[in-house]
Amino acid sequence: MPDSHYNAILAVPAYHKDQWNFAKKYNLPILYVLRDSAGKKTINYKLKDWCISRQRFWGAPIPIITNNYGKIFTVSENKLPILLPKQNKNCLFSSLKDYTNWMNVYYDENRFIRETDTFDTFVQSSWYLHRYTCPDYMEGMLNSDSVNYWLPVDLYIGGIEHATMHLLYLRFYHKLFKDMNLVNSSEPVKKLLCQGMVLSDTFYYISKEGNQIWTTPKNKDFQRNKNNQIINAVDSLGNKLVHIGMNKMSKSKSNGVDPNTIIHQYGADTLRLFIVFAAPPEASLEWTEKGIQGAYRFIKKIWNITFNYIKNYRNNKKQNKSKYNNEDLELMKQTQKIIEKITDNFENKYKFNTVVALIMKLTNYLCDAIKNNKCNQLIIKQVLMIIIRLLYPFTPHVCFILWRELNGSQDIDYAEWPKINYNITETQKKIIVQINGKLKKIMIFNFKSSEKYIKNKILNSSIIKNTLKNKKLKKTIYIKNKLINFVLSE
């Protein structure tokens, strides 16, 4: 354990496998702090009171009024909704107390004062997904039929601050709606994807007054010491900066990056591609200039491949042969395997960085095929268009242009996702043969072989035929393209 001679280490070998093995090896005492009968399952709540009012202009007005004697009333339903007054452009940070004409209201010639606090925005954002299912419903808060048709939401994406704030309020509202018999489900979402933070190099200098001032370096030609700290950063005023490593981007630490600068220099597609490729969605992303440049180079690579193909194809149309050779088949096979992996990552795993890595891998296969100059030109074009279609969700602007240049049948916006052709990816399949769950042999078949053909071929093989001789077959279990198990009567 690194630095263990400087730190105290907590060990609970009775409840940790590795620590148990360590304690046993060195004859260390193992203390049991829990007994089977000592504990019980409990649910702990850490909910606190929620102050839902804010002293600002923007927000939903609170439907409360007060008379001249200080008595509080709720606004009647026929007077709802309460709309905000037209904001004074000269008072961008005003509160509703500045709008006396709106604040004073009369009912039956009696003067009332409207509540000038507004609701916390979570009061609205905690149930907008419910209302989205029935935006035109005017008979109540929610249309149960519509809400129950659409909810629960399949996937909730948010940072850690969402998981501890908005998601908490969202679940509170949803359970309240269930108590009101407006929804059937117990939870508003099926799955949470908690995205990571964006980290950036962070710097400060000490002012003449001794204050720590967070700032951004002017230079980019960084030098680092053995601890990977940048040692030559200076700001625009010439202050020598102290580097404290990668930290979450924030205004307070002045370590954010202006996306407009990146877009102006490299384009929006480069920015998008870098963000999804730099790290898995749930991990923290380290912002680096080299990463941006790498994404930019890859987009240029796809661009150059496309226009080189267009140029060469126009000059070499005779190379468009009708029969496929081994190189064609191998490129098609690798393409189909990568389509299958990418589709699975998109639909089930949300590992978009892996998707981009697979697209880069397929691009390298294509470059090798072009270099060898043995592949059918139509196969080259087909694979190139598949790469562009796979890349389109990340770099839509560049892919839209390249697709048109390759004369796609329609705009890429309407192009179907590449389909998986298993006839190309698989030519053979291995079938595990079992009797009463025990392995007897493995047989290889053509991938297109039917279940009936496979069963007959296995039953007529010498080993299985002799084993089943004079035995009564109770049932046959067949798992497509994988296994067959013959269950015998006792």
Side-chain angles (χ1 to χ4, degrees):
M1 285 178 264
D3 298 327
S4 60
H5 53 291
Y6 292 121
N7 303 311
I9 297 174
L10 173 67
V12 282
Y15 309 101
H16 192 286
K17 184 179 178 181
D18 293 337
Q19 294 175 9
W20 169 274
N21 295 335
F22 185 86
K24 284 290 186 181
K25 182 177 179 179
Y26 295 102
N27 297 318
L28 299 177
I30 298 176
L31 301 178
Y32 293 88
V33 295
L34 292 176
R35 296 296 177 187
D36 292 340
S37 60
K40 64 179 181 179
K41 183 177 179 179
T42 62
I43 298 176
N44 295 313
Y45 297 95
K46 294 185 178 180
L47 296 176
K48 299 179 181 179
D49 289 341
W50 177 16
C51 178
I52 60 172
S53 64
R54 297 292 183 269
Q55 294 74 47
R56 59 189 176 203
F57 179 92
W58 290 112
I62 300 174
I64 295 291
I65 54 177
T66 306
N67 66 13
N68 293 333
Y69 303 102
K71 189 174 181 180
I72 298 173
F73 300 87
T74 57
V75 176
S76 58
E77 286 191 27
N78 62 352
K79 299 293 183 181
L80 297 177
I82 299 175
L83 302 179
L84 290 171
K86 187 176 180 180
Q87 190 181 25
N88 185 346
K89 294 182 180 180
N90 297 323
C91 301
L92 295 180
F93 301 101
S94 61
S95 76
L96 289 175
K97 289 183 178 180
D98 298 325
Y99 298 83
T100 54
N101 291 336
W102 177 88
M103 188 171 64
N104 293 288
V105 63
Y106 292 85
Y107 295 112
D108 298 329
E109 298 183 357
N110 293 313
R111 176 179 172 271
F112 294 85
I113 299 176
R114 280 177 170 153
E115 173 58 56
T116 55
D117 281 5
T118 52
F119 278 122
D120 176 5
T121 51
F122 280 124
V123 172
Q124 295 86 57
S125 63
S126 296
W127 63 285
Y128 67 85
L129 62 165
H130 300 78
R131 185 63 185 179
Y132 276 176
T133 66
C134 51
D136 299 322
Y137 185 66
M138 303 302 292
E139 304 302 318
M141 194 172 187
L142 297 173
N143 184 329
S144 295
D145 292 337
S146 296
V147 176
N148 290 319
Y149 175 82
W150 288 105
L151 265 59
V153 173
D154 293 288
L155 181 65
Y156 180 110
I157 304 174
I160 190 63
E161 73 279 3
H162 288 87
T164 57
M165 294 179 68
H166 180 264
L167 187 59
L168 184 69
Y169 304 132
L170 167 61
R171 295 183 68 221
F172 171 81
Y173 261 81
H174 189 83
K175 293 181 181 297
L176 183 65
F177 291 152
K178 187 175 183 184
D179 290 344
M180 297 167 65
N181 296 318
L182 292 173
V183 298
N184 295 334
S185 56
S186 296
E187 295 290 345
V189 296
K190 295 179 181 178
K191 186 175 181 180
L192 168 66
L193 175 58
C194 194
Q195 71 207 34
M197 300 293 184
V198 181
L199 309 180
S200 177
D201 284 309
T202 309
F203 303 84
Y204 73 88
Y205 70 90
I206 302 299
S207 68
K208 294 180 180 179
E209 294 77 18
N211 298 320
Q212 188 181 58
I213 308 298
W214 300 101
T215 187
T216 304
K218 180 182 179 181
N219 61 320
K220 298 295 182 183
D221 53 334
F222 296 140
Q223 297 174 8
R224 296 177 183 266
N225 60 20
K226 62 181 181 180
N227 296 322
N228 203 37
Q229 289 181 308
I230 296 171
I231 56 176
N232 66 326
V234 293
D235 66 6
S236 57
L237 299 176
N239 295 302
K240 189 174 181 180
L241 306 183
V242 178
H243 177 234
I244 63 166
M246 288 276 185
N247 285 265
K248 174 188 171 183
M249 282 190 181
S250 65
K251 293 179 182 178
S252 61
K253 285 187 170 60
S254 297
N255 63 342
V257 176
D258 184 358
N260 289 325
T261 303
I262 303 297
I263 292 170
H264 180 74
Q265 187 173 358
Y266 298 104
D269 282 350
T270 299
L271 181 59
R272 291 163 60 100
L273 186 64
F274 166 71
I275 289 173
V276 296
F277 181 57
E282 68 276 8
S284 293
L285 182 159
E286 293 190 354
W287 186 273
T288 64
E289 191 76 17
K290 288 183 178 179
I292 289 286
Q293 293 169 354
Y296 183 65
R297 285 195 299 269
F298 178 69
I299 292 175
K300 284 182 67 178
K301 183 177 183 179
I302 297 294
W303 183 276
N304 291 334
I305 291 172
T306 301
F307 282 96
N308 285 336
Y309 168 81
I310 293 170
K311 178 182 176 181
N312 294 330
Y313 177 65
R314 286 170 180 166
N315 297 331
N316 299 280
K317 289 187 177 180
K318 292 182 180 179
Q319 292 187 20
N320 180 22
K321 43 189 189 293
S322 57
K323 293 184 178 180
Y324 298 145
N325 57 29
N326 290 335
E327 285 77 10
D328 295 331
L329 294 173
E330 181 60 25
L331 180 59
M332 293 165 64
K333 182 178 179 180
Q334 295 299 335
T335 301
Q336 291 298 317
K337 285 184 176 180
I338 286 178
I339 291 173
E340 184 176 9
K341 291 179 180 179
I342 287 176
T343 302
D344 179 56
N345 272 285
F346 255 121
E347 294 181 347
N348 303 313
K349 299 177 182 178
Y350 313 114
K351 302 293 185 183
F352 304 126
N353 61 314
T354 303
V355 171
V356 176
L358 288 167
I359 294 173
M360 291 178 174
K361 184 177 181 179
L362 180 55
T363 303
N364 290 335
Y365 284 139
L366 179 62
C367 288
D368 291 340
I370 294 173
K371 186 177 180 180
N372 293 335
N373 199 28
K374 293 181 179 180
C375 282
N376 188 328
Q377 291 285 353
L378 284 181
I379 297 299
I380 295 293
K381 180 180 180 180
Q382 181 182 351
V383 174
L384 180 55
M385 294 189 76
I386 287 173
I387 290 173
I388 293 170
R389 181 63 188 86
L390 294 172
L391 195 59
Y392 175 64
F394 309 117
T395 59
H397 306 91
V398 169
C399 290
F400 185 91
I401 294 171
L402 297 182
W403 187 268
R404 277 194 171 181
E405 292 294 330
L406 289 169
N407 297 317
S409 58
Q410 55 185 344
D411 283 344
I412 195 171
D413 299 343
Y414 305 100
E416 290 186 357
W417 187 255
K419 294 181 179 178
I420 304 168
N421 187 347
Y422 291 103
N423 293 329
I424 295 176
T425 58
E426 304 290 348
T427 56
Q428 294 180 325
K429 55 186 175 185
K430 295 180 180 179
I431 301 297
I432 297 172
V433 183
Q434 296 178 339
I435 295 179
N436 287 342
K438 295 182 179 180
L439 177 67
K440 287 298 178 182
K441 67 182 301 186
I442 296 175
M443 296 181 67
I444 298 175
F445 295 88
N446 185 289
F447 191 79
K448 295 182 179 180
S449 298
S450 66
E451 179 181 344
K452 182 178 180 181
Y453 174 83
I454 291 172
K455 286 182 179 179
N456 290 335
K457 198 73 175 176
I458 293 173
L459 287 171
N460 289 317
S461 65
S462 57
I463 295 178
I464 303 302
K465 195 172 184 179
N466 291 333
T467 305
L468 296 180
K469 189 176 182 180
N470 300 324
K471 302 285 178 63
K472 187 175 181 180
L473 184 61
K474 184 178 181 180
K475 65 178 178 178
T476 302
I477 300 171
Y478 178 71
I479 300 176
K480 188 176 180 180
N481 301 330
K482 292 184 179 180
L483 174 148
I484 189 167
N485 181 26
F486 299 104
V487 181
L488 306 179
S489 298
E490 296 181 358

